[in-house]
Amino acid sequence: MKRPRISFVFSALVVMGVLVSCGPADGLPKGGPSGLIPAPQSVALGSGHFECSGSLKVVWPADWASEQEVITGWCEQANIALDPHAGPTFRFAYSESIRGDEAYRLVVSREEVTVEAATAEGLFRGWITLRKMMPVECESGCSQGFSLPVLTLNDAPVLEHRGLLLDGCRHFQDVAFVKKQIDLLALHGMNVLHWHLTEDQGWRMEVEALPKLTQIGAWRTEADGSQHGGFYSKQDIREVVAYAQARHIEVIPEIEMPGHSSAAIAAYPSLGCTGLPLEVPARWGVFKDIYCAGNDSTLAFLEVVLDEVVALFPGPRIHIGGDEAPKVRWTSCPKCQRRIQEEGLANEEELQRWFIERMGRYLASKGKTIIGWDEILEGGLPEGAAVQSWRGMGGAAEAVHLGADVIVSPTSHCYLDYPLRSTDLEEAYSFNPLPDSLTHGPGRILGGEGNMWTEHAPQPEVESKVYPRLTALAEVYWSGPGHTSKEGAYVDFLERLDHHYQRMDALGVQYGLESPPFSLETKEADGDVQAQVVALGRGVEGRGRWDGLVTDSVAAGEPFVVEGPGWIRMEVGRRGQWTGQQVAFPVDGHDGAFQPLALSYVPSPWYTGGGDGALVDGKLGTADFRDGAWQAQQGVDMSATLDLGRPEKIAEVAVGTYLYQDAWIFLPASVLWEGSVDGVQWESLARIAVGEVLARDDRQERIPLSAIVRPGSLPARYVRMTAVNAGVCPDWHAAAGSESWLFLDEMVVRTE
Ligand code: ACM
Ligand code: ZN
C-alpha cells in the first residue's frame, strides 16, 4: 500500500488558464482539458489536433476484457464506430515507466491518443479522463465526430481511497440506480462504493441461510400504514459488484454491528439481549436493542452472515459499522455481564472492542480486514481495524496516533444528507483530509468519503443531495488539498463545474443546488412588516407568491408588505431554468412584530432564531427545527415581554412550538399570556394548558398554540408570554431524567 503523495505541485490549471481558451469556435471541445474535474496533476499543450470523424480504431491490452466492454458500450451510444483495422487510434498500453496503481499518462498527438499506465486500473482512470475531454454531446451521440487538442497529461490521485457511502437501508434504491451511481463515481475518479446494507430500518442483503433477515427484516410499516422495503438478491449483488469491478470501483459492504441492528433482531429476536420480539422500526434514531455480545449464538449468526458476505464481495475489506451502539441492554444482560467477567474486560466499551476484535479475527481468517466507525476506538483500537472518522477529525487523529489506517468523512464537510445551509458546495470543497497534524503518525490517512444517509432521501432525491457536493469532494480526494486550498482554486473549480454540469445533464443526473437558494429578510417599514426573499448562490432566481389573507405574486429581491399569517412560496430557478423545486417561508405580519422585546433567558447558541428579537421578527419556524427560525433553550421556562408602545385591546395571541421527543424536544407544559398597562400590575389574558407528557408521540412538527383573549380583558401596553418547560424526559424516554428542550418561533399578538 502506498502512502498518500502530498508533495506534488498542481500547477496544471493555472497553466491551462493561460494557454487555453477552449470553445467550439477554436476547434477544441468545449471545456476541453481545462474543464476536467478532478483537476489533473499536469497538462502540457502542444499544437494541432487529433481528429476523429466518426470511426475509431481502439487498441487494448489482451487482459482488458471487462474494460473493453465498458468502452465499447460507451462508443456505441456515442455513435463512434470501432474499426479494428484502420483510422484514428486510441491506444491503451501498459508501461512500467508509470509509477503508482492509478497513475496514467495520456498523450494526444495528431495521429493517435495513447493512454499508458502500469495497471489496468490506471488505464481505466486514463480512459475516463479521455472521455471527459470529448464533447459533452458524445454522451448521447457525437454526430460530427470530435477533435482533441494535442497534449501530454500526467495524472495520479493524491489519496488512494475515494468513496461514496450509500445508505440503501433507510430508503431502498433499485439495482439500476446503484449502477448509475457507480458510473458516476467512475466519472469522478472515485474508486469506492461503501454500500451500507444493514440498518435498524431495513436489512437489505439476502442471506440464504437466514431467510427471515429479508422476509421480515427488509420491510417496515410506515406511520401511514404503507410498507417500505426491498432487498438485494445474491444475483443483484453479484451484478452490482461485477459492474463496479469493470469500472475499478471497490464495493465495500457495511454490515452493522453491534448497533443499528433492530431489523435483524426483528427477524430473529434471540439475537438481542432481551429475546423479546420487536418491529422493524419506521422511526429514525439510535435504538437500545443491539446484538447481545454474551450470546454465543448471536456470534455464530454473524459468522453465518459474514460467510455469505465474504463469498459475494471479493474486495479485501468489510465495514462492520460499530457506531452509535448504546450499551444499556448490555449493562443489564446477565450473558453480556458474564462475558465481561470471563474475558477480564473492564466495562461495556471494552466488551464492544472484544466483540469487534472477535469478528475481525473471523474475517481475517477469510483474508479480509475490517473498517469501523470511530466509536470502535472507545474500548481501545481493535487489532487490525481501520477507522472511519465521522465525528469530526478527532477519531482520525487518535487512530493515526495508534497506527491505524484511516478514512475520513467528518460531519463538518462530508455529510451529503445534511442540508446545504450546514454544508454547501464551498464548504465541501474546503475540506482538508490531510491536515499536517495527521500526516506524521504511525498510521495514515488512506482517503475520504462522502456519506449519503437516506433517512430523508427516498431514491428520487438522492442525487440532488450527493451532487454537486461529491464533485467537490472528488477533486479534494483526487487532486488533493495542495490543489484545492490554492488561491483561486474554488473559482476555477466553479468554472469547470459549469462545463461538468452539461455532462451531468446529458447523463440525466438530478444534481441539486450549490447553496441554499434563498434567504428571507423581514423588517419594520412604516408600521408594517416588510418581507424580501433574497436569492443566494450562482445563477439562482426566484419567483413565487404570497399566500396569506390575500394572495399576490412575489419576485426575489423585491420587498413587499406582509399582513397576517401566510406563506411565501418560491420556485427555484437556476441557470435560466425553473427547477421545479419549491421553497416556502411561513411568515406572520402581526401587531407585535418588531416591537421592543425583553427575554427572561439567554437563547441557546445553537438555536438563537436569528437573535434576541427572533420572537417578533415575523418569521415562523418550519417543520425543520434547524431551519434557523427557531429559538430554544433546555431545561428552563422561556418568558418574553413585549412593549406595544401604548395600551391596545388584545384580541388573539399565539406561539409556535415544536415537538420531536426523540430529539428531546417537548411541548411546553403550558403557555401563560398576561397583559399590563404599566409593566407592574399584570392581568391574565389567556392560558393554554398542554399537560403532562404521558406517552411517546412520534411527530416531528411545528405545533401552533393559539388562544382568543379572555373577553373583558383590559387594554395592555405590555404583553408577557411564559412557556413552561415540560421538565425532564419521562421514564419511558431513552434519555429519561435529562432536561428537555423547548422550542419557540414567534410571539404572535393581534390587537382589535
Ligand atoms: C454515522 O453517521 N452514524 C456513522
Ligand atoms: Zn446481552
Side-chain angles (χ1 to χ4, degrees), residues 379-683:
L381 175 69
E383 208 187 317
V387 175
Q388 182 161 6
S389 191
W390 71 281
R391 298 174 301 174
M393 294 288 271
E398 189 181 341
V400 164
H401 177 72
L402 293 170
D405 282 348
V406 177
I407 296 152
V408 290
S409 58
T411 51
S412 56
H413 295 80
C414 304
Y415 268 50
L416 305 171
D417 58 319
Y418 280 19
L420 287 166
R421 69 171 174 278
S422 304
T423 306
D424 65 10
L425 183 66
E426 188 166 5
E427 181 99 47
Y429 194 77
S430 73
F431 180 44
N432 182 359
L434 292 172
D436 285 348
S437 55
L438 299 192
T439 48
H440 305 296
R444 66 200 187 110
I445 307 284
L446 299 182
E449 295 183 3
N451 291 358
M452 183 58 222
W453 301 104
T454 59
E455 284 95 331
H456 306 290
Q459 178 175 310
E461 285 172 40
V462 170
E463 282 179 1
S464 72
K465 292 174 184 281
V466 172
Y467 294 102
R469 287 180 291 187
L470 193 68
T471 308
L473 288 176
E475 180 146 302
V476 169
Y477 298 149
W478 180 285
S479 312
H483 173 81
T484 55
S485 64
K486 256 201 244 158
E487 177 90 19
Y490 184 61
V491 172
D492 179 89
F493 169 75
L494 291 178
E495 270 174 32
R496 286 176 287 125
L497 183 60
D498 283 339
H499 174 66
H500 189 70
Y501 278 146
Q502 295 173 29
R503 196 169 300 275
M504 297 229 267
D505 286 335
L507 295 171
V509 182
Q510 304 293 312
Y511 54 89
L513 300 172
E514 297 171 357
S515 59
F518 307 121
S519 67
L520 175 68
E521 288 176 3
T522 52
K523 64 177 187 181
E524 190 266 346
D526 296 333
D528 287 324
V529 175
Q530 196 180 73
Q532 182 176 198
V533 175
V534 179
L536 309 168
R538 299 191 312 147
V540 170
E541 293 166 81
R543 66 175 183 195
R545 56 192 291 113
W546 160 242
D547 260 339
L549 300 174
V550 294
T551 58
D552 207 351
S553 60
V554 169
E558 290 178 15
F560 63 102
V561 169
V562 177
E563 276 181 53
W567 287 82
I568 303 169
R569 300 184 201 281
M570 299 299 291
E571 275 182 71
V572 182
R574 175 178 52 186
R575 300 191 295 136
Q577 290 197 322
W578 297 106
T579 61
Q581 190 184 334
Q582 290 217 344
V583 177
F585 298 98
V587 241
D588 195 332
H590 60 94
D591 300 309
F594 296 103
Q595 302 305 312
L597 187 76
L599 304 180
S600 70
Y601 56 93
V602 178
S604 155
W606 295 307
Y607 303 102
T608 65
D612 285 352
L615 293 189
V616 286
D617 63 1
K619 296 182 196 173
L620 305 185
T622 65
D624 174 2
F625 70 94
R626 295 192 181 95
D627 67 7
W630 289 98
Q631 190 168 84
Q633 245 316 348
Q634 189 179 16
V636 297
D637 299 343
M638 293 168 73
S639 182
T641 305
L642 182 66
D643 179 358
L644 293 170
R646 59 168 187 260
E648 301 262 12
K649 194 96 172 92
I650 314 294
E652 191 187 354
V653 290
V655 63
T657 60
Y658 200 87
L659 177 64
Y660 185 8
Q661 293 177 350
D662 278 348
W664 308 14
I665 305 171
F666 286 76
L667 294 182
S670 60
V671 184
L672 312 175
W673 289 87
E674 296 159 290
S676 168
V677 175
D678 55 8
V680 179
Q681 300 280 329
W682 293 90
E683 172 192 45

Side-chain angles (χ1 to χ4, degrees), residues 198 203 205-207 209-210 213 234 253-257 291 298-313 317-321 355-366 368-370:
T198 74
W203 182 284
M205 178 191 143
E206 178 187 29
V207 179
L210 298 158
L213 282 175
K234 292 192 141 181
E254 182 176 348
I255 308 297
E256 275 267 21
M257 60 188 79
Y291 292 129
T298 300
L299 302 171
F301 157 89
L302 284 168
E303 290 177 359
V304 169
V305 170
L306 291 174
D307 285 345
E308 297 200 23
V309 171
V310 166
L312 282 171
F313 293 91
R317 301 178 287 179
I318 289 172
H319 203 302
I320 47 69
F355 185 104
I356 302 285
E357 269 180 353
R358 159 115 192 216
M359 289 302 144
R361 273 199 303 278
Y362 186 73
L363 284 167
S365 76
K366 313 267 171 192
K368 306 284 185 185
T369 58
I370 60 167

Side-chain angles (χ1 to χ4, degrees), residues 210-288:
L210 298 158
K212 286 188 193 169
L213 282 175
T214 43
Q215 285 164 2
I216 294 172
W219 306 94
R220 64 173 185 260
T221 305
E222 304 282 31
D224 65 3
S226 64
Q227 288 270 313
H228 179 88
F231 64 91
Y232 303 104
S233 69
K234 292 192 141 181
Q235 188 46 35
D236 290 339
I237 291 173
R238 282 188 202 103
E239 227 177 85
V240 166
V241 167
Y243 195 84
Q245 261 181 331
R247 288 154 184 79
H248 292 277
I249 308 270
E250 176 187 355
V251 182
I252 302 179
E254 182 176 348
I255 308 297
E256 275 267 21
M257 60 188 79
H260 288 292
S261 44
S262 304
I265 299 172
Y268 296 100
S270 64
L271 296 170
C273 288
T274 66
L276 296 173
L278 54 88
E279 303 255 297
V280 178
R283 289 182 297 112
W284 315 127
V286 172
F287 297 86
K288 287 187 260 198

Side-chain angles (χ1 to χ4, degrees), residues 54-67:
S55 163
L56 203 58
K57 179 179 168 191
V58 185
V59 181
W60 6 56
D63 66 348
W64 230 36
S66 57
E67 295 86 346

